[in-house]
């Protein structure tokens, strides 16, 4: 574990941030660039705006790192409009994780569970007017093309697993440290997903799915492993 900022100093960010675009409602799309090490990976959360625990836990880990210790790029909120509005979708009602320009993108409705205790997936969302139609999707793809990260970890909830089709050392490390099962897929089709977009580009992508957990619990249970991930030497 790297040395951390004192808890009293973690109420704000000490790391520089850069803007890589605008959301549908005009919110800045921000990322925190890596400050040391090479090659760099990328860790991101907030693709679904209702997955608050992932955003808070990643933010806490980032704020716990002292200046100069961030070795990988970080995006806290891929979907800032959804985070502000409490929506899974973006402000246009599009599920961003079904909007990427993949070979299997489908212009049909996406469905999801109202919450983690709902018995079935029956809440409908758009997948976009066309593949890659959304401002947030386009900006993220352009940023990745620009930064060329060696790998990406994207944090979601609440399926309680680590999805890594390659079974990589990093995926195994995350699963062990988080005490979550390592799986090859989440068990249902995800056309137009970010993970598929990465796979088509041979970009290693690991999806961490927190269990149904509060932001407080996530920031307590996963702080150490997220701090280690952000400062991990490759």
């Amino acid at each position: 574990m790297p040395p951390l900022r004192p808890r009293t100093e973690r109420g704000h960010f000490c790391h520089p941030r850069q803007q890589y675009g605008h959301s549908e409602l005009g919110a800045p799309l921000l990322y925190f660039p890596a400050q040391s090490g090479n090659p760099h990976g990328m860790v991101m959360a907030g693709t679904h705006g209702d997955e608050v625990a992932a955003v808070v836990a990643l933010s806490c880990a980032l704020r716990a790192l002292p200046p100069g210790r961030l070795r990988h790029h970080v995006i806290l909120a891929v979907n800032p409009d959804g985070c502000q509005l409490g929506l899974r979708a973006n402000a246009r009602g599009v599920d961003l994780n079904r909007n990427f320009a993949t070979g299997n993108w489908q212009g049909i409705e996406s469905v999801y569970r109202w919450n983690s205790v709902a018995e079935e997936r029956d809440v409908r969302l758009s997948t976009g007017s066309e593949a890659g139609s959304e401002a947030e999707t386009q900006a993220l793809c352009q940023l990745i093309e620009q930064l060329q990260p060696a790998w990406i970890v994207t944090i979601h909830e609440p399926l309680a697993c680590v999805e890594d089709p390659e079974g990589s050392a990093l995926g195994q490390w995350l699963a062990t440290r988080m005490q979550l099962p390592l799986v090859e897929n989440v068990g249902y089709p995800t056309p137009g997903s970010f993970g598929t977009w990465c796979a088509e580009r041979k970009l290693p992508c690991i999806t961490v799915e927190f269990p149904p957990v509060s932001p407080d619990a996530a920031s307590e249970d996963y702080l150490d492993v997220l701090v280690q991930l952000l400062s991990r030497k490759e």
Side-chain angles (χ1 to χ4, degrees):
M1 173 71 72
L4 304 183
R5 297 174 76 194
R7 186 184 294 270
T8 54
E9 297 178 11
R10 297 180 195 171
H12 62 90
F13 292 101
C14 64
H15 307 289
R17 57 183 179 266
Q18 295 184 23
Q19 184 170 339
Y20 66 95
H22 289 90
S23 71
E24 172 66 25
L25 295 182
L29 298 172
L30 304 174
Y31 82 102
F32 295 82
Q35 300 165 16
S36 63
N38 193 50
H40 305 305
M42 177 180 285
V43 184
M44 65 188 214
T47 301
H48 292 139
D50 59 350
E51 296 176 354
V52 182
V55 176
V56 172
L58 184 57
S59 172
C60 287
L62 181 58
R63 287 182 278 121
L65 276 179
R69 299 297 303 221
L70 179 62
R71 298 180 64 91
H72 307 290
H73 310 296
V74 174
I75 302 176
L76 292 177
V78 171
N79 178 15
D81 294 348
C83 290
Q84 179 169 259
L85 297 172
L87 295 173
R88 182 179 182 83
N90 72 352
R92 282 167 30 101
V94 175
D95 183 343
L96 296 181
N97 207 30
R98 300 292 183 273
N99 182 241
F100 287 86
T102 64
N104 65 355
W105 178 82
Q106 297 177 6
I108 59 176
E109 292 179 330
S110 170
V111 293
Y112 75 104
R113 286 187 176 89
W114 175 248
N115 58 34
S116 61
V117 299
E119 294 182 356
E120 60 181 314
R121 294 175 176 273
D122 58 359
V123 182
R124 299 187 299 272
L125 292 176
S126 170
T127 59
S129 58
E130 60 184 1
S133 60
E134 303 309 291
E136 298 88 352
T137 308
Q138 295 168 14
L140 178 60
C141 293
Q142 290 168 7
L143 179 66
I144 291 171
E145 294 291 344
Q146 171 192 331
L147 297 178
Q148 294 290 303
W151 49 260
I152 295 179
V153 171
T154 176
I155 308 176
H156 288 261
E157 48 191 276
L159 299 182
C161 63
V162 174
E163 181 193 26
D164 182 3
E166 303 302 320
S168 67
L170 178 56
Q172 294 176 36
W173 178 81
L174 286 166
T176 299
R177 292 286 285 108
M178 292 183 159
Q179 298 183 4
L180 296 171
L182 182 66
V183 300
E184 293 184 2
N185 59 72
V186 294
Y188 55 85
T190 57
S193 70
F194 177 70
T196 301
W197 183 85
C198 289
E200 291 181 353
R201 285 153 183 78
K202 302 188 183 307
L203 171 58
C205 179
I206 299 168
T207 302
V208 172
E209 286 273 354
F210 286 174
V213 64
S214 72
D216 266 2
S219 61
E220 184 68 20
D221 295 346
Y222 301 127
L223 179 66
D224 288 353
V225 64
L226 290 176
V227 166
Q228 292 178 49
L229 175 63
L230 297 185
S231 55
R232 181 183 173 93
K233 295 181 180 180
E234 296 300 322

